Amino acid sequence: MLIDTTAGPKPNIITKLALLNRMTDAEFIGIINAAKTDAEVELWKTRFDNASSIDLTSTDRVVAGFPMLVSKDLLTQERSTEILTAPIQQDER
């Protein structure tokens, strides 16, 4: 019996660069600058920097940190949602 390994939901994993590219330069610069004076933002950025990939549907700490970035006005809720839910492109894997 053959099993179709291509069936089922596609993984929601993207590269770190893909997540970074989903943000504007101004958004990420804001995060970098905030990380210099805000320990919570620094912790998020450290987790981002050390992640091997990003699972957009996971509750991992990088994705789970997006509400914190919104609460600190580093991203709007609309942009946060857009970044995390935009369809995954082939070059983002």
Side-chain angles (χ1 to χ4, degrees):
M1 179 167 127
L2 295 174
I3 298 173
D4 183 0
T5 58
T6 62
K10 303 242 188 245
N12 293 303
I13 297 173
I14 63 173
T15 66
K16 289 186 335 182
L17 181 58
L19 183 69
L20 180 60
N21 286 338
R22 288 177 173 217
M23 295 182 193
T24 66
D25 288 348
E27 288 167 342
F28 200 67
I29 288 169
I31 291 169
I32 290 168
N33 286 332
K36 294 174 184 175
T37 60
D38 186 315
E40 283 184 294
V41 179
E42 181 181 9
L43 180 59
W44 181 89
K45 187 175 175 313
T46 299
R47 287 181 174 141
F48 170 80
D49 289 343
N50 288 292
S52 57
S53 61
I54 308 296
D55 183 342
L56 297 173
T57 59
S58 170
T59 57
D60 75 15
R61 293 179 175 195
V62 173
V63 173
F66 270 71
M68 178 273 301
L69 297 174
V70 170
S71 74
K72 295 182 182 284
D73 294 325
L74 297 169
L75 295 172
T76 65
Q77 182 60 56
E78 180 181 359
R79 284 291 297 140
S80 175
T81 300
E82 182 179 337
I83 290 164
L84 295 175
T85 63
I88 297 173
Q89 304 302 310
Q90 187 62 33
D91 64 346
E92 291 185 311
R93 297 186 187 272

